[in-house]
Amino acid sequence: MAKFIKCPTCATPIEVSPQAMGQIVKCPGCGKGIKLVAKKSAASSGQSSAGGGNPGAGAASHSETMRSFMGEPAINDDPPRLDTTCARCGNSVDEADLVDDEGELVCKECAIASAAERSDGAMEDYAPAPYVPSKRGSLINLNAMFFFFCFFALLLGGSQAYLRFVPLPEAKKVSQGSLAPIRSQGPSAFATTTAAPSETPSPIDLVPTSQATEIAQEKADAEWEQANKDAITMRFNKANQALAEGKKDDAEALYKEAFSFIEGRKFKDPLLSSTVATAAKLWDSLHIRPAPPAVVEGNPPAAPGAPGTPASPPTEGAASPTALSSNPLIAGLQKLNEKDYDAAARFLEEARRRLIYGPVTTALTSDQALVLVAKAAADIGRGKPEDGRPAVDLAYKNNIRTRAAVLNRAIIYLASAPGHASIKDFIDAVESVRRTLDAEPTSDELGANVLGTLLDHLGSMNLNPATRTDVVTRQKALDGYNDRFITEHEGKMKWGVEWLPADDVKRYRLLKGSVQDAALSQLNRELELVKAKVITAQKSVDRGVSDAGKQLEAANAALKVAQEKVDNAKQAVPAQQWLEKFEPVIPEESPKS
């Protein structure tokens, strides 16, 4: 059974076995070596102390202090006596004087003698080497980096001193409270000269102010601008609308009121600044004296009741038929009717910025709805239907359900690149077009063709069984809608977008959805895949890829076979032709402004 003893140096408990007597153990706490000896009995201890006998003479003498419950003698519970003796001379030595020499604990005399033997009689010097201070480097090295640092430090310090002691240039404050039209300089937006007190003030009055006053004024202007942003835009829009309607007196009063409202303010918002600048130009145009217009036979008379001088410009409508209106919405619709879609898109985008600013929180006005739908139509016409989707979606979201809005929205989904519209978008477009057709008492050929094309695209998508069944039902309902107007096409019925002989169409409708029709659909898909392979092979030939010519020949042969299969199958059920090119639906509404 293992026993525990305490180190006489650090009192760390050390676990030892009963058979470890006479061995040297190392204390895990202080690292000192301890030799284990048996504890002497009292008699032998007395003899040893009196006569200096052998320290280990009483090792065999043990006293029994307790018995176990089994009746066996217990080992001596007293810890063994720790003694420190030299491993070579055997003399008792104080533990602090023992030295570890080649794994043995010996006294200092024995350690010195052993060292002398190993060094052939020469004594080793255990004293440390004398301290010799080392030379340190200079604190400052005059090298290139030092001079670079000094140069840039001086440059930075000089710049800071200049900014600290040299006053900044005084800011110029833009005062828009004195905005007034310039009668002698044409439709210029602004002037940079200051008018004399007796003259008409210029549109911009430059007033120098101190820097502190300028900062305070800018802060006040920013707070005022944020609080009155909507009111400012509304005032100038009202004035612009009155000018577009030819109500010059009302426009003059509204412009004066609007510019008086922003007197002494300047704006950070670029959109608001642009609105004010545009309004200044339009107000200035009220006072320009153009040459008398030529009289055109058939022109409508000027609006009655509008005050003005003989030299005043004619009202809109007194202009020549080809002249563009100053109202971008009217000009955009005019270009849209002329199918100049790029110019129409530019005019309508400008009108949209004037009529719609910020998020729409209220119901759209008629002009706002009209400009959104017309903008979408212009984007369809110029071949960029994706650009028109935000406008038409905003109109549709605000319950604009005119025929142009609904059909243009559906056409955008059809004309856009694959993936631009989801299955949900197509389903919603189908429902909106169907409702529009039901609301029309007369035949809507374009609406029916758009609806059929939507259903055809939807049928080619990955639909669940319920949705696919609904698509088939709606296709049959579309056939019923087209049959309501067969009197307009004597002896014919509609198949896709074509009016064919009625007997043939009846047979096609019976076969539609049958095994033959399904086979034709599969053959059409295979034909499209072969066409794609031909295009890929042709591109490889153009790039000079080896063996591309053989691949192209094989692809063309496969295309010929696939086309023959489709042609043979079409004799039973010809595929329905749907819209592939899309023309925009031009809004029929007239602007209120």
Side-chain angles (χ1 to χ4, degrees), residues 120-315:
D120 296 331
M123 297 299 293
E124 294 184 4
D125 188 5
Y126 292 99
Y131 171 73
V132 178
S134 60
K135 185 178 180 180
R136 301 179 183 272
S138 301
L139 184 61
I140 299 177
N141 295 322
L142 300 179
N143 51 20
M145 186 61 66
F146 172 78
F147 291 109
F148 272 114
F149 174 79
C150 292
F151 171 74
F152 285 109
L154 291 173
L155 183 62
L156 177 62
S159 301
Q160 294 296 329
Y162 179 84
L163 295 175
R164 177 66 179 83
F165 297 106
V166 177
L168 294 175
E170 292 185 351
K172 303 292 185 178
K173 181 184 175 184
V174 179
S175 175
Q176 295 177 330
S178 58
L179 283 172
I182 301 177
R183 305 176 186 275
S184 60
Q185 297 183 3
S188 59
F190 299 99
T192 57
T193 58
T194 305
S198 60
E199 299 175 355
T200 303
S202 61
I204 288 187
D205 184 17
L206 300 178
V207 182
T209 58
S210 65
Q211 183 179 1
T213 306
E214 177 69 18
I215 294 174
Q217 183 65 36
E218 286 182 357
K219 183 177 179 181
D221 287 344
E223 294 175 354
W224 185 87
E225 174 186 348
Q226 191 65 26
N228 299 276
K229 185 175 181 180
D230 294 339
I232 296 170
T233 309
M234 181 185 65
R235 288 172 182 267
F236 282 111
N237 282 344
K238 283 184 177 180
N240 294 340
Q241 184 174 355
L243 178 61
E245 293 175 352
K247 302 175 181 178
K248 294 184 179 181
D249 291 345
D250 293 344
E252 179 74 21
L254 290 172
Y255 278 126
K256 288 182 179 179
E257 179 184 354
F259 281 110
S260 298
F261 183 68
I262 64 170
E263 181 178 3
R265 306 289 181 179
K266 61 180 180 179
F267 310 108
K268 292 185 177 180
D269 187 348
L271 183 60
L272 199 58
S273 299
S274 176
T275 301
V276 174
T278 303
K281 292 180 180 180
L282 294 175
W283 191 19
D284 189 22
S285 68
L286 275 174
H287 307 88
I288 298 176
R289 296 177 178 269
V295 178
V296 179
E297 185 177 355
N299 281 347
T309 63
S312 298
T315 58

Side-chain angles (χ1 to χ4, degrees), residues 336-545:
L336 197 60
N337 283 283
E338 295 173 1
K339 295 188 177 182
D340 186 357
Y341 298 120
D342 290 331
R346 292 193 298 270
F347 281 114
L348 293 170
E349 177 61 22
E350 181 183 354
R352 184 195 63 79
R353 289 196 300 266
R354 292 189 183 185
L355 294 173
I356 303 175
Y357 46 89
V360 178
T361 57
T362 59
L364 294 174
T365 64
S366 58
D367 283 357
Q368 288 175 334
L370 179 59
V371 73
L372 291 174
V373 178
K375 175 65 167 57
D379 289 330
I380 294 172
R382 67 192 186 101
K384 295 184 178 180
E386 293 89 350
D387 293 351
R389 177 166 181 175
V392 75
D393 281 349
L394 177 60
Y396 192 83
K397 181 180 178 182
N398 285 269
N399 297 319
I400 305 302
R401 299 293 190 271
T402 62
R403 178 177 178 273
V406 171
L407 294 185
N408 282 332
R409 178 169 173 262
I411 289 173
I412 285 176
Y413 292 164
L414 291 170
S416 299
H420 187 78
S422 63
I423 294 177
K424 184 178 181 299
D425 293 332
F426 274 98
I427 293 175
D428 191 39
V430 166
E431 182 63 23
S432 61
V433 174
R434 183 194 64 80
R435 291 178 180 175
T436 301
L437 294 180
D438 291 343
E440 292 290 335
T442 58
S443 173
D444 188 347
E445 187 81 7
L446 177 60
N449 292 340
V450 170
L451 178 58
T453 308
L454 284 171
L455 292 172
D456 183 68
H457 275 65
L458 192 57
S460 64
M461 294 182 174
N462 187 19
L463 307 177
N464 57 51
T467 304
R468 190 167 296 281
T469 302
D470 185 65
V471 169
V472 174
T473 303
R474 291 181 182 274
Q475 287 174 335
K476 293 181 178 179
L478 178 60
D479 291 339
Y481 174 84
N482 290 325
D483 291 344
R484 291 163 50 189
F485 309 102
I486 57 176
T487 56
E488 301 174 9
H489 304 271
E490 185 176 356
K492 294 183 178 181
M493 297 180 68
K494 199 170 186 182
W495 181 247
V497 296
E498 300 174 308
W499 289 92
L500 302 178
D503 294 338
D504 293 342
V505 174
K506 290 178 181 179
R507 185 175 70 255
Y508 300 156
R509 290 181 179 179
L510 290 174
L511 294 175
K512 184 172 177 61
S514 64
V515 176
Q516 294 172 332
D517 187 38
L520 178 60
S521 299
Q522 179 63 28
L523 290 174
N524 280 321
R525 286 192 290 269
E526 293 177 0
L527 179 62
E528 294 299 325
L529 292 176
V530 175
K531 288 181 179 179
K533 291 181 180 179
V534 171
I535 294 174
T536 303
Q538 185 62 51
K539 290 181 180 178
S540 299
V541 171
D542 296 339
R543 291 197 302 268
V545 179

